[in-house]
Amino acid sequence: MSAAPLLVTGANGHLGRDLIRAVSGSRPVRALVRSERAADSLDDLVRASAGAVEVRIVDYADEDGVRQAGEGC
């Protein structure tokens, strides 16, 4: 996979999970969520992706944190 990661905010929601499944295998994904609980809910997608899904916990009100999480995407 040579494509830049796709940044998905709200990755643990219905649309986020569907988007991750849709691109799985064609490009890496950087999944942003707001809590450890939300990150844990993505364990099945992370396992199925064989390392192509990276989960980051970010407070969406933290502009620098969101910007850093999106670097390279």
Side-chain angles (χ1 to χ4, degrees):
M1 280 186 232
S2 60
L6 175 68
L7 183 69
V8 178
T9 61
N12 63 309
H14 183 75
L15 183 60
R17 292 177 65 84
D18 283 350
L19 181 58
I20 292 169
R21 282 189 202 99
V23 300
S24 182
S26 63
R27 68 185 299 174
V29 173
R30 187 166 303 149
L32 268 58
V33 295
R34 295 183 291 177
S35 69
E36 189 69 40
R37 181 176 165 198
D40 290 345
S41 75
L42 295 175
D43 283 348
D44 60 327
L45 295 177
V46 171
R47 280 192 304 275
S49 76
V53 175
E54 172 192 2
V55 179
R56 292 200 188 175
I57 300 170
V58 178
D59 180 348
Y60 297 155
D62 176 5
E63 291 180 34
D64 288 333
V66 173
R67 187 176 6 268
Q68 288 173 2
E71 285 181 8
C73 292

